Amino acid sequence: MLSFLSRITYTFSFIVLSLFSAQASEITCPKNIAVIEGDPLGEIAAKTLISTYKNLGCEVTKIARPGLRGIADFNKGLVDGELFRLELVENAYEREFVRSAVPLFSLKNSLWLHRKTEEYGSNAVIGYVPGINWHEKVVSDNAIQGYSYAPFHTETELHKAFEDRKIIGFLSEKQTIDILIAQERFKVNPIEEHSFGERPLYHYLGLEFSEFMDVFSDYLAKEKPYQHLN
């Protein structure tokens, strides 16, 4: 049997969710959201997004797209928004948009290498995924001296090339690698060689969903559904 305090907490949570849901039911809901294809972190974050939308009275479908394709589809109106992006993406948007008032969570961006790198000699290649904003910035700024870069369509392909020792290392978020290591997805776990700091990730929607985004942002600030990914 629930204690008195537990019943009060449950009742309060139910009332809060009911209020959010009532607000969202009166406005237009986004129907589909682009998620970066082959991104383990995106897969987990998408599940939380779908659950959050449902709590707000909206049903949404995730649509997996390569990084650049997601931006292109958003610009063409083929998707209503993108799961998460750094603010850098705003320069690539050709469509009016609205950004969540608070970030979903902050990315911890890093360079990951094999344990032994001396065998590669001058063939020191770092893998990255075009369309992931911070990857492109690291490459364009040549932020890692002494390496060359190779593009891959998805992070899944990137990690496979690393496993096959076709590249010496790759760019990836710490959260993603922590997930893959916990799932024992690597034969030899990569080593974090360099950190590029933390950067906030925001949810993006077309401007026509600004009312929903206000409700979504309020929910983010109060309920913190992505706290487990920080």
Side-chain angles (χ1 to χ4, degrees), residues 114-128:
H114 279 291
R115 290 180 183 275
K116 295 182 179 180
T117 59
E118 63 274 6
E119 64 189 77
Y120 287 84
S122 60
N123 188 29
V125 180
I126 299 298
Y128 74 101

Side-chain angles (χ1 to χ4, degrees), residues 101-155:
V102 294
L104 303 186
F105 55 95
S106 292
L107 276 182
K108 300 173 182 178
N109 305 326
S110 299
L111 165 65
W112 301 83
L113 297 177
H114 279 291
R115 290 180 183 275
K116 295 182 179 180
T117 59
E118 63 274 6
E119 64 189 77
Y120 287 84
S122 60
N123 188 29
V125 180
I126 299 298
Y128 74 101
V129 179
I132 297 181
N133 309 94
W134 75 271
H135 285 209
E136 292 188 332
K137 185 168 180 13
V138 168
V139 173
S140 64
D141 292 349
N142 195 25
I144 312 170
Q145 299 295 321
Y147 299 97
S148 58
Y149 303 94
F152 292 84
H153 291 297
T154 68
E155 290 210 53

Side-chain angles (χ1 to χ4, degrees), residues 51-178:
S51 174
T52 297
Y53 269 53
K54 188 173 183 178
N55 286 338
L56 298 177
C58 293
E59 297 291 334
V60 68
T61 301
K62 68 174 184 178
I63 298 182
R65 291 286 185 268
L68 291 174
R69 175 74 180 279
I71 296 172
D73 281 1
F74 178 69
N75 286 337
K76 294 174 183 176
L78 299 177
V79 294
D80 294 330
E82 292 205 276
L83 168 61
F84 54 50
R85 289 284 185 175
L86 299 175
E87 288 180 80
L88 290 169
V89 77
E90 295 176 13
N91 295 324
Y93 283 158
E94 301 168 358
R95 169 186 175 187
E96 290 188 296
F97 63 86
V98 61
R99 182 181 73 204
S100 58
V102 294
L104 303 186
F105 55 95
S106 292
L107 276 182
K108 300 173 182 178
N109 305 326
S110 299
L111 165 65
W112 301 83
L113 297 177
H114 279 291
R115 290 180 183 275
K116 295 182 179 180
T117 59
E118 63 274 6
E119 64 189 77
Y120 287 84
S122 60
N123 188 29
V125 180
I126 299 298
Y128 74 101
V129 179
I132 297 181
N133 309 94
W134 75 271
H135 285 209
E136 292 188 332
K137 185 168 180 13
V138 168
V139 173
S140 64
D141 292 349
N142 195 25
I144 312 170
Q145 299 295 321
Y147 299 97
S148 58
Y149 303 94
F152 292 84
H153 291 297
T154 68
E155 290 210 53
T156 300
E157 293 180 12
L158 187 72
H159 300 150
K160 186 177 187 309
F162 177 79
E163 284 281 270
D164 294 340
R165 303 187 77 82
K166 293 178 179 178
I167 55 177
I168 195 173
F170 57 88
L171 302 177
S172 192
E173 304 82 14
K174 188 176 187 301
Q175 289 99 324
T176 297
I177 303 307
D178 285 346

Side-chain angles (χ1 to χ4, degrees), residues 7 13 31 40 64 66 73 76 81 100 112 115 134 140 143-144 147 179 184 202 205-206 215 228-229:
R7 290 199 300 271
S13 298
K31 298 297 183 186
D73 281 1
K76 294 174 183 176
S100 58
W112 301 83
R115 290 180 183 275
W134 75 271
S140 64
I144 312 170
Y147 299 97
I179 290 168
E184 299 183 345
Y202 295 91
L205 293 171
V215 177
H228 63 294
L229 291 177

